[in-house]
Amino acid sequence: MAMNEVGNSNFWTTVLKHEQPVVVAFWATWCGACKATMPAVSELGDQGLPIYTVNVGNEPAIAYEYGVTAAPTLKVFDQGKVVKTITGRKTKQELESELAEFL
């Protein structure tokens, strides 16, 4: 499953109305930790967990709305509510451990 970029035009309908838990990865092109973490995030999508991305440089309003102050930040949304937040550089194993209940 590929990661899909979302923004102001579709975030609210795509993420908040999703019927199962989804991960939103807030990232930035200038972020070294994002470049290291995003391949592992993508691999989680291959395990069936829906993954969406928000480029905080392009979508600052969404980042602000959800209190994102560091990149990368992953937020798990379930039925429109944030149920888990993970911040910082993570390995695939760390992400699998922290997201095990949703995989």
Side-chain angles (χ1 to χ4, degrees), residues 20-85:
Q20 68 186 66
V22 300
V23 173
V24 177
F26 293 86
W27 69 284
T29 56
W30 47 262
C31 170
C34 296
K35 291 175 184 173
T37 301
M38 293 307 282
V41 173
S42 179
E43 289 180 27
L44 292 175
D46 294 337
Q47 296 180 30
L49 187 61
I51 308 286
Y52 296 96
T53 62
V54 173
N55 182 328
V56 297
N58 296 340
E59 305 292 347
I62 298 172
Y64 179 79
E65 173 81 19
Y66 290 98
V68 175
T69 58
T73 293
L74 279 63
K75 292 192 178 275
V76 180
F77 287 79
D78 190 7
Q79 299 181 356
K81 295 183 170 76
V82 176
V83 295
K84 187 168 190 94
T85 299

